[in-house]
Amino acid sequence: MSIPFAWCLLLSGLLFAIGAAGALTRRNGITIFLSIEVMLNAANLALVAYARQLAERAEDLASAHAGQVIVFFVLAVAAAEAAVGLALFLAVFRNRRTIDVNRLNLMRW
Amino acid sequence: MELAIFLAFALLAVTSALVVVSHRNPVYSTMSLVITLIAVAALFVLLGAPLLAALQILVYTGAILVLFLFVIMLLNVGRESRTSLGHGGQLWGALAGATTLGLLVGALAWARHGGQPLAPVAAELMALRPLARALFWEYLLPFEIVGLLLLAAVVAATVLARRPEAGSRPERER
């Protein structure tokens, strides 16, 4: 019994929604980052599922490989984002002694 | 059989993702994210992308999450930073928004691909040579730009995380 294609997209959407809810509700900066990683992975899952679906037809094979290459780039950008973001939180923590984003309201209107 | 494996790893990914966003202790959230990423890597293998699964485990669980754990350790996230969820209105608003988003994605996926089975894994999809050709030929310029981005990120992270020399700039306490 094979997997319905829509289920892959559904799983991807579910993971993205979970990550979005976490990024919006959590107050700890580190956990917000972790939620964003969940969202990035959900997007990757959709790309890989579409790559498999597109590879069925020979003329769409290039698009399928393009999808996998985008996943590769997402991984690299996520690594860069995590490194810079965590360094920012280190700097913020050194100055403010907190990473609670509700208390980092210096630039709030 | 394929369906059973898919459902098992999907369930694992969703439950561990729920733990990631709901646990109060960031260390447990990070360890739960490791499980999510490994489950998603298993789904990558199932969907015909074994190279990406390997990269996912190497780069994410091997490098990024270790970085997260190190920063949690450096910040000494104890009782103070172990904050709970936001206040009522914010929490319910975010949950409602996320549910709407999930339902919309589900409805779209169903409307466009409803009941359509997943195509069998094409042999050309699993082959490394065409993927490498796409990466190092068609997408060579983005590849080089990503390399530059990583270099810039390393430099920026080093500058930001460096402890300022004593006396040069007084640390502002609160």
Side-chain angles (χ1 to χ4, degrees), chain A residues 34-77:
Chain A
L34 293 174
S35 307
I36 292 174
E37 303 292 338
V38 172
M39 289 160 76
L40 286 172
N41 252 273
N44 281 352
L45 192 61
L47 281 168
V48 171
Y50 263 108
R52 170 163 169 183
Q53 195 71 1
L54 282 178
E56 192 184 17
R57 286 166 49 196
E59 65 263 32
D60 287 336
L61 200 61
S63 313
H65 285 304
Q68 295 200 348
V69 168
I70 293 174
V71 174
F72 177 83
F73 288 146
V74 170
L75 283 180
V77 173

Side-chain angles (χ1 to χ4, degrees), chain A residues 1-11 13-22 24-28 30-31 33-35 37-38 40-41 44-45 48-53 55-56 61 64-66 68-69 71-73 75-80 82-84 86-91 93-100 102-103 106, chain B residues 2-3 6-7 10 13-14 17-18 20-24 26 29-30 33 37 40 43-44 46-49 52 55-56 60 64 67-68 71-72 75 80-81 83-87 90-91 94 98 101 105-106 109-110 113 116-122 124-125 130-131 135 139 142-143 146 149-150 153 157 160-163 171-172 174:
Chain A
M1 176 135 185
S2 66
I3 311 158
F5 178 48
W7 288 16
C8 296
L9 301 180
L10 203 61
L11 173 66
L14 196 60
L15 281 178
F16 193 91
I18 291 172
L24 288 174
T25 52
R26 296 309 301 259
R27 292 188 291 165
N28 184 340
I30 302 261
T31 320
F33 261 110
L34 293 174
S35 307
E37 303 292 338
V38 172
L40 286 172
N41 252 273
N44 281 352
L45 192 61
V48 171
Y50 263 108
R52 170 163 169 183
Q53 195 71 1
E56 192 184 17
L61 200 61
H65 285 304
Q68 295 200 348
V69 168
V71 174
F72 177 83
F73 288 146
L75 283 180
V77 173
V84 176
L86 289 174
L88 274 173
F89 271 119
L90 268 183
F93 184 77
R94 201 168 282 149
N95 281 321
R96 303 289 305 269
R97 294 284 144 200
T98 181
I99 51 166
D100 183 338
N102 279 3
R103 286 171 62 190
L106 209 62
Chain B
E2 206 183 19
L3 187 67
F6 174 81
L7 285 179
V14 169
L18 282 173
V20 170
V21 300
S22 62
H23 208 284
R24 298 167 74 91
S29 284
T30 312
L33 186 59
L37 295 177
V40 173
L43 292 175
F44 281 1
L46 198 65
L47 293 170
L52 292 176
L55 278 178
Q56 164 113 334
Y60 256 118
I64 299 182
L67 188 68
F68 270 97
V71 170
I72 293 170
L75 296 185
E80 194 264 337
S81 297
T83 49
S84 59
L85 295 164
H87 357 274
Q90 191 188 9
L91 178 63
L101 184 67
V105 170
W110 197 255
H113 304 286
Q116 185 185 355
L118 203 58
V121 180
E124 296 86 5
L125 189 67
L131 184 62
L135 186 58
Y139 298 96
F143 181 79
V146 163
L149 173 75
L150 282 173
L160 280 171
R162 199 188 42 176
R163 198 173 284 280
E171 285 198 20
R172 206 156 44 98
R174 275 295 329 213

